[in-house]
Amino acid sequence: MNIAIIGSGYVGLVTGVCLAHIGHHVICVDNNPQKIKKLKGGQVPIYEPGLQELMRACVKKKRLKFTGSIKEACQQSSVIFLALPTPPKSNGDADLTYIENASREIALNMDSYKLIVEKSTVPAQTGKKIQRTIQLNLPRKFKKGNKILLGFDVASNPEFLKEGSAVHDFMNPDRVVLGVESKKAEKILREIYKPLKTKMVVTNIASSEIIKHASNSFLTTKISFINAVAQICDRVGADVLKVAEGMGLDKRIGRQFLDAGIGYGGSCFPKDVDSFIHLGEKNGYDFALLKEVRRINDWQRRWFVRLIEEKLWNIKDKTIGVWGIAFKPNTDDIRNAAAIEIVRMLQAERARVRLYDPKAMDNARHVLKGVTFCDDPYAATQGCDCLLLLTEWQEFKDVDFIQVHEAMRQAVIFDGRNFLDAEHLRRMGFEYFAIGRGRSV
Ligand code: UDX
């Protein structure tokens, strides 16, 4: 199958590389010339485990190429995936300008049947708008009065991959969702995903769009639920890790996404929750449950800073070591990272921050000012009054805590991810605080 991917960000690039890997011919498009130059040179501009190797292998097999031109991609492909950014507007709605512009450009460059597939998370009913934009912008020669002479279909095929394990997630999905409104579109998409041998859910476009909204919002609901439970655990001397284990063994609940901590971040969850709330509002429904999910998530960070303040006495002029700034481990992505917000709150209280993250330092340098960026986890603890673990990178489990203890002015650790071995650290003489472990309040 000849496939074009418009937008070579996290989603587009992973999708393009993986579709090439399973046997298709893929052309990835991006309007950023520097990005295309890098990709052509074999460099992946983001950190995603396994992606660069796979990309180079696909290029070598001549199944993957890159271009800055939608026209070129259109001419060479019968299926076009839209993997473009849909940033939030101030009212929570998604900004769909990139999708509209790409749809128009596709229409202008269409010369044969095309299947246009939404891959980015978009508000329900975007499929209809893409369809209309294409119809309106098709060259005159393909129209006769109101009749469209050139066949095309729009479909929705939401992505569910997680950053940090995106390649694995793509290759081993729990399901593939196909929102289609013609037999032809269904047949093409089934063919594309056939090598994955996975369960396919076939439905109409609106249901497919809602599956994506609802899945992400449900996951954030699980996270906020366990964070609320963690608050109670702290107050009554219960341990949220055991509570999550006990709940998670019930197959109806499941253990995943029950990790209490400083809350969810990233480029998807906060935006998707806002957008689902907004979709409800636009259609006359107040999704109060999701508003509460969002409130709990915001509050969790502020509560963490309050906990630090309470235990340190004063934050002003304290030196605080921070391990981890990425929104989760195995990525360099810091978009909407809880850690960024926490560092900013501490700086607002006039703390000095020493920071180390295994992969996200370059990105952090662009957005955080006045922070001391350190080369390794030990340097970040030098002379510190406390250490915060904000992203659960495996590397942080393997450090020599004797060295850390010696480097710190006060041996106090706040574990925002319930990641470190509490008993071991306490035995070593650290004061250790975590989330919902029954000892923090
Ligand atoms: C998410 C969805 O999982 C994925 O299906 C969708 O396609 C894109 O959005 P991603 O944002 O890459 O993926 O990361 P994910 O692993 O889901 O984590 C999101 C955030 O939730 C992170 O900040 C993480 O730290 C937090 N989280 C996750 C928790 O706080 N607790 C948990 O139990 C799980």
Side-chain angles (χ1 to χ4, degrees):
M1 204 75 79
N2 289 317
I3 299 172
I5 313 277
I6 303 191
S8 302
Y10 276 101
V11 173
L13 200 55
V14 174
T15 305
V17 169
C18 291
L19 286 175
H21 178 65
I22 61 174
H24 303 293
H25 285 96
V26 178
I27 179 160
C28 288
V29 190
D30 205 282
N31 64 359
N32 177 343
Q34 270 135 14
K35 195 184 262 183
I36 291 297
K37 198 172 156 206
K38 248 189 169 173
L39 290 166
K40 282 184 172 168
Q43 297 294 322
V44 168
I46 48 170
Y47 174 73
E48 183 61 45
L51 188 59
Q52 187 152 294
E53 298 74 4
L54 206 59
M55 183 183 94
R56 288 180 180 173
C58 292
V59 170
K60 215 166 160 189
K61 286 184 192 151
K62 300 208 177 326
R63 289 215 291 259
L64 180 63
K65 52 188 183 174
F66 305 96
T67 178
S69 154
I70 291 190
K71 182 175 182 182
E72 184 190 341
C74 253
Q75 283 165 348
Q76 296 181 17
S77 320
S78 51
V79 185
I80 303 168
F81 282 87
L82 299 177
L84 290 157
T86 55
K89 295 199 277 199
S90 54
N91 65 358
D93 201 1
D95 176 354
L96 299 175
T97 325
Y98 295 109
I99 305 263
E100 184 188 343
N101 291 344
S103 307
R104 183 174 301 113
E105 226 180 305
I106 291 169
L108 293 172
N109 291 295
M110 263 169 63
D111 49 5
S112 55
Y113 172 87
K114 307 283 175 204
L115 171 60
I116 297 104
V117 189
E118 309 166 346
K119 196 73 183 156
S120 335
T121 306
V122 289
Q125 296 174 341
T126 301
K128 279 202 169 61
K129 292 196 174 125
I130 295 175
Q131 189 147 16
R132 190 176 136 73
T133 305
I134 292 176
Q135 276 175 2
L136 284 173
N137 289 280
L138 268 179
R140 217 173 256 283
K141 61 180 174 183
F142 296 125
K143 293 180 190 170
K144 197 169 181 191
N146 280 339
K147 236 177 132 192
I148 302 292
L149 305 175
L150 186 65
F152 76 93
D153 279 303
V154 174
S156 154
N157 167 225
E159 57 80 26
F160 298 99
L161 40 91
K162 302 185 290 300
E163 288 181 23
S165 58
V167 173
H168 175 270
D169 292 350
F170 187 97
M171 297 298 177
N172 305 278
D174 291 339
R175 79 303 203 188
V176 165
V177 175
L178 307 180
V180 287
E181 271 156 29
S182 83
K183 280 281 163 218
K184 187 167 180 176
E186 178 182 342
K187 192 165 168 257
I188 294 172
L189 284 169
R190 277 189 183 277
E191 192 63 32
I192 288 176
Y193 286 107
K194 205 168 157 193
L196 294 182
K197 298 189 176 66
T198 188
K199 189 164 172 44
M200 299 201 197
V201 179
V202 181
T203 177
N204 62 17
I205 296 178
S207 307
S208 167
E209 289 165 337
I210 293 289
I211 288 172
K212 174 69 198 216
H213 278 299
S215 301
N216 272 6
S217 296
F218 188 77
L219 292 171
T220 59
T221 305
K222 270 188 106 174
I223 298 171
S224 280
F225 183 83
I226 201 68
N227 279 333
V229 170
Q231 291 291 335
I232 306 281
C233 287
D234 261 334
R235 287 162 174 79
V236 301
D239 181 353
V240 75
L241 287 186
K242 281 288 162 198
V243 173
E245 184 188 340
M247 287 170 65
L249 284 170
D250 185 328
K251 290 195 186 68
R252 293 168 304 174
I253 299 173
R255 173 64 184 81
Q256 290 186 62
F257 284 72
L258 287 181
D259 290 321
I262 49 178
Y264 60 79
S267 64
C268 290
F269 279 173
K271 182 184 71 149
D272 291 354
V273 169
D274 284 355
S275 149
F276 208 13
I277 292 172
H278 187 81
L279 185 71
E281 267 160 13
K282 238 165 73 180
N283 290 283
Y285 179 70
D286 178 15
F287 212 146
L289 173 65
L290 283 186
K291 288 182 181 165
E292 191 56 18
V293 164
R294 184 170 63 183
R295 193 197 62 79
I296 292 171
N297 197 55
D298 290 344
W299 193 73
Q300 203 65 7
R301 296 157 195 199
R302 278 183 274 124
W303 171 83
F304 190 66
V305 172
R306 268 186 18 208
L307 174 71
I308 297 166
E309 187 169 28
E310 189 191 307
K311 303 295 176 190
L312 280 193
W313 194 359
N314 295 298
I315 288 183
K316 185 169 164 248
D317 294 333
K318 291 275 166 41
T319 303
I320 299 184
V322 172
W323 282 358
I325 199 77
F327 84 98
K328 61 183 241 179
N330 299 321
T331 177
D332 62 352
D333 196 345
I334 56 167
R335 287 176 289 175
N336 293 310
I340 295 272
E341 218 177 297
I342 288 169
V343 166
R344 288 202 172 123
M345 282 190 260
L346 293 170
Q347 287 184 310
E349 303 275 330
R350 292 202 265 151
R352 285 185 289 268
V353 175
R354 298 177 66 81
L355 171 71
Y356 171 74
D357 184 285
K359 294 285 176 204
M361 296 294 268
D362 285 345
N363 286 337
R365 275 193 187 92
H366 288 119
V367 300
L368 289 175
K369 300 292 161 220
V371 164
T372 305
F373 293 96
C374 302
D375 292 336
D376 60 60
Y378 301 103
T381 62
Q382 199 59 48
C384 285
D385 295 286
C386 72
L387 168 65
L388 317 183
L389 184 138
L390 301 184
T391 314
E392 65 276 35
W393 287 94
Q394 188 55 38
E395 177 178 337
F396 298 141
K397 269 216 168 120
D398 306 329
V399 297
D400 173 6
F401 278 94
I402 298 176
Q403 261 194 64
V404 171
H405 198 291
E406 277 165 13
M408 294 180 74
R409 187 161 80 157
Q410 296 185 151
V412 184
I413 296 181
F414 296 90
D415 184 348
R417 300 288 183 180
N418 288 344
F419 186 61
L420 301 171
D421 183 341
E423 289 319 309
H424 176 65
L425 291 172
R426 286 192 181 120
R427 272 200 306 275
M428 287 183 67
F430 284 96
E431 261 194 35
Y432 172 86
F433 302 100
I435 311 251
R437 310 289 315 271
R439 299 272 296 258
S440 299
V441 176

